Amino acid sequence: MDPLPLSVDIVSDVVCPWCIIGYKQLQKALAETPHNFEVSLTWHPFELNPQMGDDGENLREHLTGKYGTTREQSMQARARLTALGASLGFRFDYFEDMRVVNTFRAHQLLHWARGREKQTELKLALFAAFFTERQDVSKIDVLVSAAASVGLAADEARQILCGARYARAVRDEQRHWLGKDVHAVPTFFLNDSYPIPGAQDSSTFLRILDKAAEMQAA
């Protein structure tokens, strides 16, 4: 049987823990589905904290100010994410002084990586850099290192970031998804439809994949 084309668009931020969880759940569903899909996956930019300054902010203090999260609630959430990530093959390494940072530069680099067919590799490297390796993904040196780790040219990555070559393109794309009422991440779109908000479990993705296959068979 010929493979069924499946385009997957994921609107996300690299400092969003549920974005990597959602991606892992989707990958689990794709591995379990009986349908033979040929997947084309694209990541799209969303900034959880577009006004965040260069120095970032302590993550726990940020969540308290933004959502009213208590220390106990924060600890419970971190434990839940750590366990869920481990079950899906991703390691969260939360620490007391962890900071949330600005991600606009990261999205510019991801925009460039898309044209080099390295976008997903870079996205996963950035998730790991922030959540596993305790790195500041707002810093040019960290971003250049992540780009080099997936086979992208370090010199070109640095030039792109220093010159903000894709800043306007990223802003335009952000406006596009806001225009489609994407105001929280992750949000998934399968074959330009089937919007799936949040980090659903793999069984939800399996049901949507079934619908996508049925639509193409009709």
Side-chain angles (χ1 to χ4, degrees):
M1 184 191 309
D2 291 335
L4 300 172
L6 180 72
S7 67
V8 179
D9 294 279
I10 310 176
V11 187
S12 78
D13 200 355
V14 297
V15 296
C16 166
W18 293 109
C19 290
I20 180 60
I21 291 292
Y23 170 78
K24 289 289 190 177
Q25 295 282 23
L26 172 62
Q27 293 304 109
K28 182 180 179 182
L30 286 169
E32 294 174 351
T33 182
H35 307 293
N36 179 22
F37 288 111
E38 185 175 73
V39 180
S40 173
L41 191 151
T42 306
W43 299 87
H44 301 282
F46 187 98
E47 290 179 83
L48 287 172
N49 304 289
Q51 307 305 320
M52 184 63 64
D54 290 342
D55 293 332
E57 186 178 354
N58 178 275
L59 177 58
R60 183 167 279 139
E61 293 175 0
H62 173 77
L63 293 175
T64 297
K66 190 172 183 178
Y67 302 111
T69 305
T70 66
R71 180 179 179 83
E72 182 178 345
Q73 289 171 329
S74 174
M75 291 175 65
Q76 291 174 347
R78 291 182 179 192
R80 177 188 176 198
L81 282 164
T82 299
L84 184 54
S87 73
L88 294 167
F90 185 84
R91 185 167 72 89
F92 287 99
D93 182 19
Y94 284 101
F95 57 103
E96 188 63 29
D97 295 327
M98 189 171 187
R99 301 184 74 79
V100 63
V101 299
N102 189 288
T103 56
F104 187 48
R105 285 182 181 139
H107 288 302
Q108 293 173 58
L109 201 63
L110 287 161
H111 184 92
W112 167 62
R114 185 192 311 173
R116 300 294 191 274
E117 298 185 350
K118 291 282 188 177
Q119 192 188 40
T120 293
E121 290 178 66
L122 179 59
K123 185 80 172 190
L124 296 179
L126 292 174
F127 279 133
F130 183 70
F131 287 111
T132 307
E133 300 163 9
R134 300 188 174 190
Q135 297 189 49
D136 182 344
V137 293
S138 71
K139 302 302 184 187
I140 289 178
D141 285 348
V142 171
L143 294 170
V144 169
S145 178
S149 75
V150 301
L152 291 163
D155 288 347
E156 187 175 0
R158 188 175 297 278
Q159 291 170 6
I160 286 166
L161 293 171
C162 291
R165 186 184 306 176
Y166 295 110
R168 178 174 294 182
V170 169
R171 290 297 187 216
D172 288 344
E173 193 170 1
Q174 288 174 324
R175 282 191 288 271
H176 168 78
W177 292 104
L178 288 172
K180 292 176 75 76
D181 289 327
V182 176
H183 298 287
V185 289
T187 300
F188 299 78
F189 292 85
L190 274 56
N191 283 345
D192 297 318
S193 57
Y194 310 116
I196 307 172
Q200 304 293 334
D201 60 30
S202 60
S203 61
T204 299
F205 282 114
L206 279 168
R207 289 196 297 273
I208 301 299
L209 291 172
D210 284 343
K211 290 181 180 179
E214 290 170 5
M215 288 291 291
Q216 293 190 58

